[in-house]
Amino acid sequence: HVQLVESGGGSVQEGQSLKLSCAISGYATSHYCIAWFRLSSGKEREEVAHIYARNGRSDVADSVKGRFTVSQDDAKYTVFLQMNNLKPEDTGVYTCAARSAANAESCLYLPWTRFAYRGQGTQVTVS
């Protein structure tokens, strides 16, 4: 059974940084994608970053490019979202989600509903 557990959220001032973690368990292989989604008040949920566990290929959304990076630990058990130069519009609930994938191309931006596994979310507040 795949489980995802996020941590690292909090309240920071504009311009500061936060690093979110998504601990992953239950996958027998590394053929899966992990995506970070953000749900902000009054906005639709958006994917801000994703990574393909098998080879580490990743991408971030244009809205956060240059400020956010996504990475994983060597064992592929934890995915990180490093968020720098945070802005008030980055405020929201950040959730990591996982789906099985045969290759990195299968990790391209997909709707939230295409991810079979999701964490509980962690709140990020920027003021």
Side-chain angles (χ1 to χ4, degrees):
H1 180 63
V2 175
Q3 288 188 308
L4 308 172
V5 179
E6 302 97 337
S7 61
S11 296
V12 296
Q13 298 290 317
E14 185 173 3
Q16 292 185 326
S17 300
L18 279 174
K19 186 174 184 178
L20 306 183
S21 299
C22 175
I24 306 152
S25 61
Y27 269 111
T29 72
S30 58
H31 290 276
Y32 59 88
C33 304
I34 298 292
W36 283 99
F37 286 87
R38 173 172 71 190
L39 182 61
S40 303
S41 179
K43 298 180 182 179
E44 293 187 359
R45 193 186 309 272
E46 69 169 320
E47 181 186 318
V48 296
H50 62 252
I51 187 166
Y52 184 51
R54 184 163 183 82
N55 60 16
R57 278 184 61 183
S58 64
D59 195 20
V60 296
D62 288 343
S63 59
V64 301
K65 196 154 290 186
R67 301 188 298 120
F68 290 15
T69 56
V70 59
S71 62
Q72 62 183 358
D73 67 343
D74 290 343
K76 303 181 178 63
Y77 296 148
T78 305
V79 168
F80 305 101
L81 184 67
Q82 177 68 48
M83 306 184 294
N84 298 328
N85 190 23
L86 283 162
K87 304 176 180 181
E89 53 263 41
D90 295 318
T91 294
V93 177
Y94 286 71
T95 306
C96 61
R99 64 185 300 269
S100 298
N103 48 54
E105 288 68 31
S106 300
C107 291
L108 295 179
Y109 294 90
L110 294 170
W112 167 259
T113 54
R114 298 286 298 275
F115 289 79
Y117 307 102
R118 305 159 190 172
Q120 80 285 357
T122 186
Q123 176 71 41
V124 172
T125 302
V126 185
S127 60

